[in-house]
Short mmCIF file of all heavy atoms in Angstrom, two decimals:
data_model
loop_
_atom_site.label_atom_id
_atom_site.label_comp_id
_atom_site.label_asym_id
_atom_site.label_seq_id
_atom_site.Cartn_x
_atom_site.Cartn_y
_atom_site.Cartn_z
N MET Y 21 15.86 55.07 72.75
CA MET Y 21 16.09 53.79 71.96
C MET Y 21 17.22 53.12 72.50
O MET Y 21 18.19 53.79 72.91
CB MET Y 21 16.17 54.16 70.48
CG MET Y 21 15.40 53.29 69.63
SD MET Y 21 15.90 53.37 67.94
CE MET Y 21 14.43 54.19 67.30
N ASP Y 22 17.40 51.87 72.43
CA ASP Y 22 18.46 51.13 72.95
C ASP Y 22 19.76 51.30 72.08
O ASP Y 22 19.56 51.34 70.80
CB ASP Y 22 18.23 49.70 73.05
CG ASP Y 22 19.21 48.89 73.77
OD1 ASP Y 22 19.75 49.36 74.67
OD2 ASP Y 22 19.42 47.66 73.33
N LYS Y 23 20.85 51.43 72.57
CA LYS Y 23 22.08 51.65 71.89
C LYS Y 23 22.46 50.52 70.92
O LYS Y 23 22.88 50.65 69.74
CB LYS Y 23 23.33 51.92 72.83
CG LYS Y 23 23.09 53.17 73.50
CD LYS Y 23 24.25 53.30 74.59
CE LYS Y 23 24.03 54.51 75.54
NZ LYS Y 23 24.88 54.37 76.61
N THR Y 24 21.96 49.35 71.33
CA THR Y 24 22.32 48.15 70.46
C THR Y 24 21.40 48.14 69.28
O THR Y 24 21.97 47.93 68.13
CB THR Y 24 22.04 46.85 71.28
OG1 THR Y 24 22.77 46.82 72.57
CG2 THR Y 24 22.42 45.62 70.54
N LEU Y 25 20.23 48.54 69.38
CA LEU Y 25 19.35 48.68 68.36
C LEU Y 25 19.89 49.83 67.33
O LEU Y 25 19.74 49.62 66.12
CB LEU Y 25 17.90 49.05 68.76
CG LEU Y 25 16.80 49.27 67.65
CD1 LEU Y 25 16.76 47.87 66.75
CD2 LEU Y 25 15.46 49.55 68.15
N LEU Y 26 20.34 50.98 67.84
CA LEU Y 26 20.86 51.94 67.03
C LEU Y 26 22.10 51.51 66.22
O LEU Y 26 22.33 51.84 65.04
CB LEU Y 26 21.15 53.08 67.81
CG LEU Y 26 19.95 53.99 68.32
CD1 LEU Y 26 20.53 55.10 69.34
CD2 LEU Y 26 19.18 54.58 67.32
N LEU Y 27 22.87 50.76 66.83
CA LEU Y 27 24.10 50.15 66.18
C LEU Y 27 23.75 49.16 65.12
O LEU Y 27 24.33 49.07 64.07
CB LEU Y 27 25.08 49.42 67.22
CG LEU Y 27 25.86 50.41 67.92
CD1 LEU Y 27 26.60 49.49 69.01
CD2 LEU Y 27 26.88 51.15 67.02
N PHE Y 28 22.71 48.33 65.30
CA PHE Y 28 22.18 47.50 64.29
C PHE Y 28 21.70 48.22 63.08
O PHE Y 28 21.89 47.97 61.99
CB PHE Y 28 21.09 46.59 64.91
CG PHE Y 28 20.41 45.70 63.90
CD1 PHE Y 28 21.07 44.64 63.47
CD2 PHE Y 28 19.16 46.00 63.47
CE1 PHE Y 28 20.41 43.90 62.47
CE2 PHE Y 28 18.48 45.26 62.50
CZ PHE Y 28 19.19 44.26 62.03
N LEU Y 29 20.89 49.16 63.47
CA LEU Y 29 20.30 49.99 62.29
C LEU Y 29 21.45 50.76 61.48
O LEU Y 29 21.38 50.93 60.31
CB LEU Y 29 19.27 51.04 62.82
CG LEU Y 29 18.11 50.42 63.39
CD1 LEU Y 29 17.12 51.51 64.07
CD2 LEU Y 29 17.31 49.69 62.29
N PHE Y 30 22.40 51.25 62.26
CA PHE Y 30 23.65 51.86 61.55
C PHE Y 30 24.26 50.84 60.59
O PHE Y 30 24.65 51.13 59.50
CB PHE Y 30 24.50 52.30 62.67
CG PHE Y 30 25.87 53.01 62.07
CD1 PHE Y 30 25.78 54.23 61.31
CD2 PHE Y 30 27.05 52.49 62.18
CE1 PHE Y 30 26.91 54.74 60.79
CE2 PHE Y 30 28.24 52.95 61.74
CZ PHE Y 30 28.15 54.22 61.02
N GLY Y 31 24.50 49.55 61.11
CA GLY Y 31 25.10 48.58 60.32
C GLY Y 31 24.20 48.15 59.13
O GLY Y 31 24.74 48.04 58.02
N VAL Y 32 22.90 48.16 59.29
CA VAL Y 32 22.16 47.84 58.11
C VAL Y 32 22.15 49.14 57.05
O VAL Y 32 22.19 48.98 55.86
CB VAL Y 32 20.56 47.74 58.61
CG1 VAL Y 32 19.62 47.85 57.37
CG2 VAL Y 32 20.47 46.51 59.32
N LEU Y 33 22.26 50.30 57.66
CA LEU Y 33 22.37 51.45 56.74
C LEU Y 33 23.63 51.38 55.87
O LEU Y 33 23.59 51.75 54.74
CB LEU Y 33 22.39 52.79 57.61
CG LEU Y 33 22.53 54.06 56.90
CD1 LEU Y 33 21.25 54.43 56.01
CD2 LEU Y 33 22.80 55.20 57.84
N LEU Y 34 24.69 51.01 56.63
CA LEU Y 34 26.01 50.89 55.87
C LEU Y 34 26.12 49.83 54.85
O LEU Y 34 26.59 49.98 53.71
CB LEU Y 34 27.09 50.74 56.85
CG LEU Y 34 27.52 52.08 57.55
CD1 LEU Y 34 28.69 51.66 58.56
CD2 LEU Y 34 28.06 53.07 56.60
N PHE Y 35 25.59 48.57 55.23
CA PHE Y 35 25.96 47.40 54.39
C PHE Y 35 24.64 46.82 53.77
O PHE Y 35 24.78 45.97 52.94
CB PHE Y 35 26.45 46.36 55.34
CG PHE Y 35 27.74 46.75 56.03
CD1 PHE Y 35 27.78 47.07 57.31
CD2 PHE Y 35 28.92 46.91 55.29
CE1 PHE Y 35 28.98 47.55 57.93
CE2 PHE Y 35 30.11 47.36 55.80
CZ PHE Y 35 30.12 47.67 57.11
N ALA Y 36 23.54 47.54 53.87
CA ALA Y 36 22.36 46.83 53.17
C ALA Y 36 21.44 48.01 52.70
O ALA Y 36 20.07 47.98 52.78
CB ALA Y 36 21.53 45.98 54.05
N SER Y 37 21.99 49.13 52.19
CA SER Y 37 21.20 50.25 51.72
C SER Y 37 21.84 50.81 50.47
O SER Y 37 22.83 50.27 50.02
CB SER Y 37 21.13 51.31 52.78
OG SER Y 37 22.44 51.96 52.99
N PRO Y 38 21.21 51.91 49.96
CA PRO Y 38 21.76 52.55 48.76
C PRO Y 38 23.32 53.08 49.02
O PRO Y 38 23.97 53.30 47.99
CB PRO Y 38 20.93 53.63 48.37
CG PRO Y 38 19.57 53.17 48.96
CD PRO Y 38 19.93 52.38 50.28
N LEU Y 39 23.75 53.08 50.29
CA LEU Y 39 25.09 53.48 50.49
C LEU Y 39 26.09 52.50 50.01
O LEU Y 39 27.29 52.75 49.94
CB LEU Y 39 25.30 53.73 52.00
CG LEU Y 39 24.73 55.10 52.57
CD1 LEU Y 39 24.86 55.11 54.12
CD2 LEU Y 39 25.23 56.20 51.97
N VAL Y 40 25.65 51.33 49.76
CA VAL Y 40 26.60 50.28 49.37
C VAL Y 40 27.16 50.63 47.97
O VAL Y 40 28.37 50.52 47.72
CB VAL Y 40 25.78 48.88 49.28
CG1 VAL Y 40 26.75 47.93 48.58
CG2 VAL Y 40 25.41 48.40 50.57
N GLY Y 41 26.43 51.38 47.17
CA GLY Y 41 26.80 51.77 45.84
C GLY Y 41 28.03 52.90 46.01
O GLY Y 41 28.89 52.97 45.21
N TRP Y 42 27.97 53.57 47.21
CA TRP Y 42 29.12 54.49 47.46
C TRP Y 42 30.37 53.85 47.70
O TRP Y 42 31.39 54.18 47.13
CB TRP Y 42 28.79 55.44 48.59
CG TRP Y 42 29.98 56.31 49.03
CD1 TRP Y 42 30.42 57.25 48.45
CD2 TRP Y 42 30.58 55.99 50.31
NE1 TRP Y 42 31.52 57.76 49.26
CE2 TRP Y 42 31.64 56.98 50.45
CE3 TRP Y 42 30.43 55.06 51.43
CZ2 TRP Y 42 32.57 57.08 51.57
CZ3 TRP Y 42 31.44 55.20 52.47
CH2 TRP Y 42 32.30 56.16 52.43
N TRP Y 43 30.38 52.85 48.63
CA TRP Y 43 31.73 52.26 49.02
C TRP Y 43 32.12 51.04 48.03
O TRP Y 43 33.30 50.53 48.23
CB TRP Y 43 31.82 51.96 50.44
CG TRP Y 43 30.77 51.03 51.00
CD1 TRP Y 43 29.64 51.40 51.71
CD2 TRP Y 43 30.72 49.58 51.02
NE1 TRP Y 43 28.87 50.32 52.10
CE2 TRP Y 43 29.55 49.17 51.72
CE3 TRP Y 43 31.54 48.74 50.54
CZ2 TRP Y 43 29.26 47.89 51.88
CZ3 TRP Y 43 31.23 47.25 50.68
CH2 TRP Y 43 29.99 46.99 51.39
N THR Y 44 31.29 50.69 47.05
CA THR Y 44 31.65 49.72 46.12
C THR Y 44 31.92 50.33 44.76
O THR Y 44 32.22 49.63 43.74
CB THR Y 44 30.58 48.60 46.02
OG1 THR Y 44 29.42 49.23 45.61
CG2 THR Y 44 30.48 47.82 47.15
N ALA Y 45 31.88 51.73 44.61
CA ALA Y 45 32.02 52.33 43.34
C ALA Y 45 33.35 52.23 42.89
O ALA Y 45 34.42 52.07 43.64
CB ALA Y 45 31.65 53.80 43.49
N PRO Y 46 33.63 52.17 41.57
CA PRO Y 46 34.93 52.23 41.03
C PRO Y 46 35.78 53.35 41.45
O PRO Y 46 35.26 54.50 41.57
CB PRO Y 46 34.75 52.04 39.50
CG PRO Y 46 33.39 51.71 39.31
CD PRO Y 46 32.61 52.08 40.58
N GLY Y 47 37.01 53.21 41.82
CA GLY Y 47 37.85 54.35 42.29
C GLY Y 47 37.88 54.48 43.71
O GLY Y 47 38.63 55.24 44.18
N THR Y 48 36.96 53.84 44.40
CA THR Y 48 36.96 53.82 45.95
C THR Y 48 38.18 52.99 46.38
O THR Y 48 38.37 51.92 45.81
CB THR Y 48 35.70 53.28 46.63
OG1 THR Y 48 34.57 53.99 45.94
CG2 THR Y 48 35.66 53.45 47.98
N HIS Y 49 38.89 53.48 47.47
CA HIS Y 49 40.00 52.61 48.01
C HIS Y 49 39.66 51.30 48.38
O HIS Y 49 38.49 51.06 48.79
CB HIS Y 49 40.53 53.50 49.23
CG HIS Y 49 41.94 53.06 49.55
ND1 HIS Y 49 42.19 51.97 50.23
CD2 HIS Y 49 43.10 53.59 49.12
CE1 HIS Y 49 43.50 51.78 50.46
NE2 HIS Y 49 44.10 52.70 49.68
N VAL Y 50 40.45 50.43 48.22
CA VAL Y 50 40.19 48.98 48.59
C VAL Y 50 39.90 48.74 50.12
O VAL Y 50 38.97 47.85 50.35
CB VAL Y 50 41.44 48.03 48.12
CG1 VAL Y 50 41.22 46.61 48.60
CG2 VAL Y 50 41.64 48.19 46.74
N LEU Y 51 40.45 49.49 50.89
CA LEU Y 51 40.34 49.34 52.47
C LEU Y 51 39.06 50.03 52.98
O LEU Y 51 38.86 49.83 54.14
CB LEU Y 51 41.57 49.77 53.08
CG LEU Y 51 42.81 49.15 52.73
CD1 LEU Y 51 44.07 49.76 53.49
CD2 LEU Y 51 42.70 47.61 53.10
N THR Y 52 38.29 50.60 52.16
CA THR Y 52 37.03 51.31 52.61
C THR Y 52 36.12 50.47 53.34
O THR Y 52 35.63 50.77 54.51
CB THR Y 52 36.37 52.04 51.43
OG1 THR Y 52 37.29 52.90 50.77
CG2 THR Y 52 35.21 52.76 51.92
N VAL Y 53 35.86 49.26 52.80
CA VAL Y 53 34.97 48.32 53.40
C VAL Y 53 35.47 47.88 54.82
O VAL Y 53 34.77 47.66 55.85
CB VAL Y 53 34.61 47.15 52.52
CG1 VAL Y 53 35.69 46.29 52.31
CG2 VAL Y 53 33.46 46.38 53.15
N TYR Y 54 36.80 47.68 54.92
CA TYR Y 54 37.37 47.26 56.19
C TYR Y 54 37.36 48.33 57.18
O TYR Y 54 37.17 48.09 58.37
CB TYR Y 54 38.88 46.75 55.99
CG TYR Y 54 38.86 45.56 55.08
CD1 TYR Y 54 39.44 45.67 53.70
CD2 TYR Y 54 38.42 44.27 55.38
CE1 TYR Y 54 39.48 44.64 52.87
CE2 TYR Y 54 38.44 43.22 54.55
CZ TYR Y 54 39.03 43.40 53.29
OH TYR Y 54 38.91 42.37 52.46
N VAL Y 55 37.52 49.62 56.79
CA VAL Y 55 37.44 50.67 57.69
C VAL Y 55 36.09 50.88 58.22
O VAL Y 55 35.83 51.09 59.51
CB VAL Y 55 37.98 52.02 57.09
CG1 VAL Y 55 37.59 53.22 57.87
CG2 VAL Y 55 39.43 51.90 56.63
N LEU Y 56 35.04 50.69 57.36
CA LEU Y 56 33.61 50.71 57.80
C LEU Y 56 33.40 49.60 58.88
O LEU Y 56 32.77 49.86 59.93
CB LEU Y 56 32.76 50.65 56.62
CG LEU Y 56 32.68 51.72 55.69
CD1 LEU Y 56 31.89 51.58 54.51
CD2 LEU Y 56 32.30 53.06 56.43
N TRP Y 57 33.89 48.39 58.59
CA TRP Y 57 33.59 47.29 59.60
C TRP Y 57 34.25 47.66 60.79
O TRP Y 57 33.84 47.29 61.99
CB TRP Y 57 34.19 46.08 59.00
CG TRP Y 57 33.14 45.27 58.18
CD1 TRP Y 57 33.16 45.05 56.79
CD2 TRP Y 57 31.96 44.62 58.68
NE1 TRP Y 57 32.06 44.36 56.33
CE2 TRP Y 57 31.19 44.09 57.43
CE3 TRP Y 57 31.32 44.56 59.83
CZ2 TRP Y 57 30.10 43.39 57.61
CZ3 TRP Y 57 30.19 43.82 59.98
CH2 TRP Y 57 29.52 43.19 58.86
N ALA Y 58 35.57 48.18 60.81
CA ALA Y 58 36.31 48.44 61.97
C ALA Y 58 35.68 49.56 62.81
O ALA Y 58 35.49 49.53 64.03
CB ALA Y 58 37.74 48.95 61.62
N VAL Y 59 35.00 50.51 62.18
CA VAL Y 59 34.22 51.58 62.83
C VAL Y 59 33.06 50.96 63.56
O VAL Y 59 32.85 51.19 64.71
CB VAL Y 59 33.78 52.69 61.92
CG1 VAL Y 59 32.67 53.52 62.54
CG2 VAL Y 59 34.93 53.50 61.45
N LEU Y 60 32.41 50.12 62.82
CA LEU Y 60 31.16 49.33 63.45
C LEU Y 60 31.57 48.56 64.52
O LEU Y 60 30.97 48.57 65.62
CB LEU Y 60 30.42 48.51 62.35
CG LEU Y 60 29.14 47.88 62.87
CD1 LEU Y 60 28.07 49.05 63.23
CD2 LEU Y 60 28.46 47.15 61.69
N ILE Y 61 32.57 47.72 64.45
CA ILE Y 61 33.11 46.88 65.61
C ILE Y 61 33.64 47.74 66.72
O ILE Y 61 33.37 47.41 67.99
CB ILE Y 61 34.19 45.96 65.00
CG1 ILE Y 61 33.62 44.94 64.06
CG2 ILE Y 61 34.92 45.21 66.20
CD1 ILE Y 61 34.60 44.04 63.34
N GLY Y 62 34.26 48.87 66.44
CA GLY Y 62 34.67 49.80 67.54
C GLY Y 62 33.57 50.36 68.34
O GLY Y 62 33.59 50.42 69.56
N LEU Y 63 32.48 50.74 67.67
CA LEU Y 63 31.36 51.21 68.31
C LEU Y 63 30.62 50.19 69.09
O LEU Y 63 30.17 50.52 70.24
CB LEU Y 63 30.32 51.81 67.21
CG LEU Y 63 30.80 53.13 66.59
CD1 LEU Y 63 29.80 53.44 65.50
CD2 LEU Y 63 30.92 54.21 67.58
N ILE Y 64 30.64 48.94 68.67
CA ILE Y 64 30.05 47.83 69.41
C ILE Y 64 30.79 47.62 70.63
O ILE Y 64 30.35 47.46 71.78
CB ILE Y 64 29.87 46.62 68.58
CG1 ILE Y 64 28.83 46.70 67.45
CG2 ILE Y 64 29.62 45.35 69.41
CD1 ILE Y 64 28.83 45.70 66.45
N ALA Y 65 32.16 47.65 70.65
CA ALA Y 65 33.03 47.50 71.75
C ALA Y 65 32.90 48.50 72.77
O ALA Y 65 32.81 48.46 73.96
CB ALA Y 65 34.51 47.34 71.25
N LEU Y 66 32.71 49.77 72.20
CA LEU Y 66 32.62 50.91 73.05
C LEU Y 66 31.12 50.86 73.98
O LEU Y 66 31.21 51.12 75.07
CB LEU Y 66 32.60 52.17 72.27
CG LEU Y 66 32.40 53.48 73.08
CD1 LEU Y 66 33.68 53.78 74.05
CD2 LEU Y 66 32.20 54.71 72.11
N VAL Y 67 30.15 50.51 73.18
CA VAL Y 67 28.86 50.25 73.89
C VAL Y 67 28.91 49.12 74.88
O VAL Y 67 28.39 49.34 76.03
CB VAL Y 67 27.77 50.10 72.84
CG1 VAL Y 67 26.46 49.62 73.55
CG2 VAL Y 67 27.50 51.36 72.08
N ALA Y 68 29.65 48.05 74.57
CA ALA Y 68 29.71 46.92 75.42
C ALA Y 68 30.46 47.34 76.65
O ALA Y 68 30.14 46.97 77.74
CB ALA Y 68 30.25 45.70 74.76
N TYR Y 69 31.54 48.01 76.48
CA TYR Y 69 32.38 48.50 77.60
C TYR Y 69 31.59 49.51 78.52
O TYR Y 69 31.70 49.21 79.70
CB TYR Y 69 33.71 49.21 77.05
CG TYR Y 69 34.52 49.72 78.23
CD1 TYR Y 69 35.33 48.95 78.93
CD2 TYR Y 69 34.63 51.14 78.35
CE1 TYR Y 69 36.10 49.41 79.98
CE2 TYR Y 69 35.37 51.66 79.40
CZ TYR Y 69 36.16 50.89 80.25
OH TYR Y 69 36.86 51.36 81.12
N ARG Y 70 30.90 50.38 78.01
CA ARG Y 70 30.05 51.27 78.82
C ARG Y 70 28.97 50.72 79.52
O ARG Y 70 28.71 51.05 80.70
CB ARG Y 70 29.67 52.55 77.91
CG ARG Y 70 30.75 53.38 77.49
CD ARG Y 70 30.15 54.60 76.85
NE ARG Y 70 31.17 55.48 76.59
CZ ARG Y 70 30.98 56.82 76.60
NH1 ARG Y 70 29.95 57.29 76.86
NH2 ARG Y 70 32.02 57.61 76.32
N ASP Y 71 28.31 49.65 78.88
CA ASP Y 71 27.22 48.95 79.56
C ASP Y 71 27.86 48.02 80.69
O ASP Y 71 27.11 47.73 81.68
CB ASP Y 71 26.45 48.12 78.54
CG ASP Y 71 25.49 48.96 77.68
OD1 ASP Y 71 25.43 50.13 78.13
OD2 ASP Y 71 25.07 48.41 76.65
N GLU Y 72 29.00 47.53 80.55
CA GLU Y 72 29.71 46.72 81.52
C GLU Y 72 29.97 47.47 82.79
O GLU Y 72 29.84 46.94 84.03
CB GLU Y 72 30.87 46.14 80.94
CG GLU Y 72 31.47 44.95 81.77
CD GLU Y 72 32.66 44.41 80.95
OE1 GLU Y 72 32.40 43.56 80.14
OE2 GLU Y 72 33.74 44.65 81.27
N ARG Y 73 30.29 48.74 82.68
CA ARG Y 73 30.70 49.60 83.82
C ARG Y 73 29.47 49.97 84.56
O ARG Y 73 28.79 50.05 85.19
CB ARG Y 73 31.43 50.80 83.53
CG ARG Y 73 32.82 50.50 82.89
CD ARG Y 73 33.69 51.66 82.49
NE ARG Y 73 33.10 52.91 82.91
CZ ARG Y 73 33.66 53.94 82.84
NH1 ARG Y 73 34.88 54.01 82.46
NH2 ARG Y 73 33.11 55.16 83.18
#
């Protein structure tokens, strides 16, 4: 499977699935959503860098 498709599916899993209830639950740290976005963006940058080489 293509790495881009896997990253897309990972993003859908994080931001449009029942996992949303986990990181939006009361008591979860405010920065959790930003850390998840940063991880996704970092993975995208890593894949783009490796494909470029």
Side-chain angles (χ1 to χ4, degrees):
M21 226 192 251
D22 190 36
K23 293 174 189 168
T24 307
L25 180 60
L26 288 175
L27 282 173
F28 173 74
L29 293 174
F30 179 68
V32 168
L33 177 70
L34 280 179
F35 299 111
S37 72
L39 285 179
V40 174
W42 166 73
W43 55 263
T44 59
T48 306
H49 198 274
V50 174
L51 297 177
T52 303
V53 67
Y54 298 111
V55 170
L56 292 174
W57 273 110
V59 167
L60 186 61
I61 291 169
L63 288 172
I64 291 169
L66 181 66
V67 167
Y69 174 74
R70 287 187 177 214
D71 284 346
E72 192 175 282
R73 291 183 7 172

